[in-house]
Amino acid sequence: MGSGVNERIVNVDFLLSEMESSAEWLKDLKARNYQLGIATNKVAMDSGDASEVVEGESVDKAYQWSEGGEYVEVVVNVPGTTSSKKLSSKDVKVDIRSKTLKVMAKDDSGQFSSLVDIKLAGSVSVDDSTWNLGFAKGMVTVEVTLAKQNNSKKWGKVEE
């Protein structure tokens, strides 16, 4: 419409049942969004330098992590959760300290149980670190982005 940009508008009709939260396409979309978010964070973490992203997984497979540039990303699996059993931020406690990370979630009895409690391999800026809930591989995840205190120093691992 005069903007010089190749614009294309497509109208799509949906059945009401396709808009329900249990719709199969929506479940798949959550997983795709998660993967895109992880990929985007890896690109963002590498921006400006040629360092490679380092990745790993805890021995007990409680979390996966990646590191690049200024950030370390830790993705914690919340066992017993599915797309139908959702958690809200009130069901999760994340304690980020300069040298430690602790993630807890409510269990079936309503009590908080520890998912991750580790001493970090490097120092983080607590005020610049964040977390949010995600969904991957059929379960809820807690995605923690740790801002490194010393941006240029590569950790090579998450736990000390």
Side-chain angles (χ1 to χ4, degrees), residues 11-68:
N11 290 325
V12 179
D13 293 326
F14 288 94
L15 297 173
L16 189 55
S17 63
E18 293 174 319
M19 300 306 293
E20 294 177 5
S21 61
S22 61
E24 202 57 42
W25 73 270
L26 190 56
K27 292 177 188 174
D28 185 49
L29 184 63
K30 289 178 184 178
R32 284 189 197 180
N33 254 357
Y34 170 77
Q35 293 303 326
L36 179 62
I38 292 297
T40 302
N41 279 341
K42 286 180 184 175
V43 169
M45 289 191 294
D46 275 342
S47 64
D49 74 61
S51 65
E52 67 182 59
V53 173
V54 180
E55 298 178 316
E57 184 171 52
S58 66
V59 174
D60 60 2
K61 299 191 186 295
Y63 65 87
Q64 298 80 41
W65 63 274
S66 61
E67 172 191 9

Side-chain angles (χ1 to χ4, degrees), residues 9 39 45 63 72 90 105-106 110 124 130-132 135 146 150:
I9 299 173
M45 289 191 294
Y63 65 87
V72 173
K90 294 177 184 175
K106 281 188 181 176
V124 300
T130 63
W131 69 274
N132 64 303
F135 188 80
L146 301 169
N150 183 347

